[in-house]
Amino acid sequence: VQPRIVEIRQNVLRKNDELARALRARFLTDRVLVVNLVSSPGSGKTAWLERSLGACRTRGWHTAVLVGDVATDNDARRLAATGVPVRQIGTGGLCHLDAQMIVDHLRDWPPRPLDLLFIENVGNLVCPASYDLGESLRAVLLSTTEGEDKPLKYPALFHSADVALLTKLDLAAACEFDHAAARQNLQAARPGIRVVETSARTGQGLDDWLDLLDASRQQVLAAGPAPPR
Amino acid sequence: VQPRIVEIRQNVLRKNDELARALRARFLTDRVLVVNLVSSPGSGKTAWLERSLGACRTRGWHTAVLVGDVATDNDARRLAATGVPVRQIGTGGLCHLDAQMIVDHLRDWPPRPLDLLFIENVGNLVCPASYDLGESLRAVLLSTTEGEDKPLKYPALFHSADVALLTKLDLAAACEFDHAAARQNLQAARPGIRVVETSARTGQGLDDWLDLLDASRQQVLAAGPAPPR
């Protein structure tokens, strides 16, 4: 059975890559920065997004959020409370989002104008690594409570990320979090990765994160085709 | 592609179930309690196992550990430092352990006598749910740092568990952990599930956990065939 499964899986990933390429081209044409947030369950993706949405509004950016979850729409409801357009993707038990789900949920949504689309992936450090969603920026969250070794133990996901957000810095001391080891392991998994230290509770790192998003937005605006006149 | 993938997956799971049934019968014949530990990455499976192995030794039980990891043998090395026989299962990127891996790694191992075999699964709240490893007891860990909502968001895994270990209780206050909500969500996902509050740092819950293991051991001893004379 094994070689057949490998072959099937390769076909699935090949098809996903094709769809993701088309999505990426479309996002560039639409001049939208798309950010895919990946992490373990409970690393604080939703809490950090709540903070980020408010900060984006302050900068005058129009945002929307796609939220993937195996079950419940808890996170979608939390995020919708910010007033930003939010759409839930129920994966029906599946352990990751794929490009087809993104295509399906963007048919007549979100409302324009749109500068920035966040995608909150399923909490999982393994499976989402292989599924390109057409994003321009993949951000992996690593909380101070889950241990500095995670980039070494789940290298594929960390290697696939463009930026790492260290989260729950307010708990770092209580967890005896080793900052140097975490940064060393992140660099080992993904040499040169940018790292932002954050806390959704205190707001630490929010300005740095927004500046980083702004720089990525400028790249998208520079790379995209001229807007229609 | 989708229906074909569903069919393939069902075949894989069916084959896994067959292997797991054979494993379970063998463990009963051998009078070994097998415990499958599942959780998010960073919930404290390894730290709690380190504690458990020492406590099992105090009770005179012979233990061994199979450790599954996507990459690195960090956890296996930590556990081997306790002096207990430990074997690493590298999943080669796969997001869960399956029964075939257990069969393969138990061919000429562990040394006898053996009372209790712990299996530390890959850190993942989705995929390990579907893979029976022939265990008699499935224990899901939920740390106070990852949020009380996880049993609702990953219902299949929590529903499949026999016991829940709340971990990192020493961090509960710092995380404003809501004990009542966590217990309510656990019972919603798996009505009647036994819950033990633990801390690998302080040793809280270790006696309750060992008593629970002892009760499960007695069931295995009672259920198994008479030992050969």
Side-chain angles (χ1 to χ4, degrees):
Chain A
V1 175
Q2 209 56 33
R4 196 166 148 225
I5 293 183
V6 169
E7 189 198 324
I8 299 264
R9 183 157 189 277
Q10 285 172 343
N11 285 342
V12 168
L13 289 179
R14 197 174 305 125
K15 201 183 158 194
N16 186 81
D17 281 347
E18 281 168 27
L19 279 173
R21 262 197 299 276
L23 275 173
R24 186 170 287 110
R26 172 177 154 189
F27 294 142
L28 282 178
T29 302
D30 292 350
R31 304 163 71 84
V32 176
L33 172 66
V34 179
V35 182
N36 181 6
L37 296 170
V38 293
S39 81
S40 293
S43 294
K45 292 184 292 302
T46 310
W48 186 245
L49 263 182
E50 289 176 309
R51 278 280 192 178
S52 301
L53 296 176
C56 287
R57 181 177 289 136
T58 306
R59 296 208 182 190
W61 302 344
H62 295 94
T63 58
V65 188
L66 280 174
V67 191
D69 264 313
V70 174
T72 82
D73 60 353
N74 292 354
D75 292 353
R77 281 189 282 111
R78 277 170 65 185
L79 292 166
T82 63
V84 162
V86 175
R87 202 167 233 200
Q88 161 89 18
I89 304 180
T91 67
L94 207 68
C95 50
H96 58 270
L97 294 178
D98 64 30
Q100 184 64 57
M101 298 178 195
I102 305 301
V103 170
D104 291 344
H105 285 81
L106 292 183
R107 284 199 204 290
D108 50 4
W109 188 90
R112 306 290 154 153
L114 181 69
D115 300 307
L116 211 163
L117 173 68
F118 290 105
I119 304 175
E120 181 179 338
N121 217 312
V122 175
N124 185 330
L125 279 187
V126 188
C127 315
S130 311
Y131 292 85
D132 185 357
L133 304 181
E135 73 266 23
S136 290
L137 195 74
R138 185 176 293 191
V140 62
L141 280 67
L142 172 64
S143 73
T144 60
T145 60
E146 62 189 302
E148 305 82 1
D149 58 339
K150 296 302 166 288
L152 302 181
K153 294 184 63 185
Y154 302 89
L157 191 75
F158 283 89
H159 182 74
S160 77
D162 302 295
V163 54
L165 299 173
L166 290 176
T167 61
K168 307 193 189 184
L169 260 288
D170 52 290
L171 293 172
C175 299
E176 298 170 22
F177 180 70
D178 184 338
H179 295 251
R183 284 176 176 270
Q184 191 176 336
N185 294 341
L186 283 167
Q187 294 301 331
R190 174 69 155 95
I193 194 169
R194 290 166 287 175
V195 180
V196 184
E197 302 205 341
T198 72
S199 163
R201 198 180 270 176
T202 67
Q204 178 186 349
L206 203 52
D207 281 344
D208 288 345
W209 169 234
L210 268 281
D211 288 347
L212 192 152
L213 291 178
D214 198 19
S216 296
R217 267 191 77 220
Q218 298 309 323
Q219 285 180 354
V220 167
L221 295 179
R229 290 167 181 273
Chain B
V1 176
Q2 208 57 33
R4 195 164 149 228
I5 291 183
V6 169
E7 189 198 324
I8 299 264
R9 185 160 187 275
Q10 284 172 343
N11 285 342
V12 168
L13 290 178
R14 196 174 307 127
K15 201 184 160 195
N16 187 80
D17 282 346
E18 280 168 27
L19 279 174
R21 263 197 300 276
L23 275 173
R24 186 169 288 108
R26 172 177 155 190
F27 294 143
L28 283 178
T29 302
D30 292 349
R31 305 163 72 85
V32 176
L33 172 66
V34 179
V35 182
N36 181 5
L37 297 170
V38 292
S39 80
S40 294
S43 294
K45 292 184 293 302
T46 310
W48 186 245
L49 263 182
E50 289 176 310
R51 278 278 193 181
S52 301
L53 296 176
C56 287
R57 181 177 291 139
T58 306
R59 297 209 181 187
W61 302 345
H62 296 93
T63 58
V65 189
L66 281 174
V67 192
D69 264 312
V70 175
T72 82
D73 60 353
N74 292 354
D75 292 353
R77 281 190 282 111
R78 276 171 65 186
L79 292 166
T82 64
V84 162
V86 174
R87 203 166 231 200
Q88 161 89 16
I89 304 179
T91 67
L94 208 66
C95 50
H96 59 270
L97 294 178
D98 64 29
Q100 184 64 58
M101 297 178 195
I102 306 301
V103 171
D104 291 343
H105 285 80
L106 291 183
R107 284 200 204 288
D108 51 4
W109 188 90
R112 305 291 153 153
L114 181 68
D115 300 307
L116 211 163
L117 174 67
F118 291 105
I119 304 175
E120 181 180 338
N121 218 311
V122 175
N124 184 332
L125 279 186
V126 189
C127 315
S130 310
Y131 291 85
D132 185 357
L133 305 181
E135 71 267 24
S136 290
L137 195 75
R138 185 176 292 192
V140 63
L141 280 69
L142 172 65
S143 72
T144 60
T145 61
E146 63 190 302
E148 306 83 0
D149 59 339
K150 295 302 166 289
L152 303 180
K153 294 184 63 184
Y154 302 88
L157 191 76
F158 283 89
H159 182 74
S160 77
D162 302 295
V163 55
L165 299 173
L166 290 176
T167 61
K168 308 193 190 184
L169 260 288
D170 53 290
L171 294 172
C175 299
E176 298 170 22
F177 180 70
D178 184 337
H179 294 251
R183 283 175 177 271
Q184 191 177 337
N185 293 341
L186 284 167
Q187 295 301 332
R190 173 68 155 94
I193 194 168
R194 291 166 287 175
V195 180
V196 184
E197 302 204 340
T198 73
S199 164
R201 199 181 271 177
T202 68
Q204 179 185 349
L206 203 53
D207 281 343
D208 289 345
W209 169 235
L210 269 281
D211 288 348
L212 192 152
L213 291 178
D214 198 18
S216 296
R217 268 192 76 221
Q218 298 308 323
Q219 285 180 355
V220 166
L221 295 178
R229 289 171 181 272

